[in-house]
Amino acid sequence: AGYKAANHLFELGHDHIMFASAQIDPKWVGIQRCCNDNMRHASLFLLKEGDGIRNYFDMGAKCAKDIIGSRRLPTAIIAANDEIAVGLINGLSRLGCRVPEDVSVIGFDDAYIAAYSNPPLTTIHYPKARIGIEMARMLISMLNGQTTQPNITLETELVNRESTASPRDESI
């Protein structure tokens, strides 16, 4: 999933991508693999709790404030989930940064709020119903004493909305 998000941004022409997350997770591994395949670089921005942060939306808004204060802004930000991404978009907007004109933002999960953010959030959709079905199937097999396939790979899907675009010639 991380690979798919980074690849979308590289295809748009981005060269300075940041991953905003509360922790290092498998998405970061996919982003790094995509960077290596494309000979590009991404930086990691770990969000910290505290400072009045109550939820992922607050984390995204705090991330926006910290990013705006940095010397070199990314051309695109991959947020670990849609809530961080929406908080980031709102925070960037309050600070005068336009999405996607100044910086592109992409999230993960395809949460309902993604379609209603302003601008609507580009995100990676996980097949949640299919995940549930496969988990139930595995559990039933295990309860019946049958062996199960240890790893099942389910495809994610890029939901391309309006929060990503080709980068400007220079970041803001």
Side-chain angles (χ1 to χ4, degrees), residues 83-105:
E83 290 81 9
I84 292 173
V86 170
L88 184 59
I89 289 171
N90 290 338
L92 289 168
S93 177
R94 282 194 301 271
L95 295 167
C97 186
R98 299 167 303 153
V99 174
E101 293 86 352
D102 298 324
V103 63
S104 288
V105 176

Side-chain angles (χ1 to χ4, degrees), residues 1-10 17-19 21 23-44 78 80 106 108 124 126 156:
Y3 191 102
K4 192 170 281 188
N7 197 56
H8 170 68
L9 295 171
F10 290 145
I17 294 173
M18 179 178 287
F19 178 56
S21 179
Q23 60 192 19
I24 297 175
D25 67 21
K27 294 174 203 124
W28 176 243
V29 174
I31 293 165
Q32 287 295 293
R33 191 167 45 88
C34 186
C35 289
N36 291 337
D37 289 352
N38 289 281
M39 293 186 286
R40 306 274 181 93
H41 174 74
S43 56
L44 176 64
I78 301 172
I106 188 169
F108 288 91
I124 301 295
Y126 291 104
T156 57

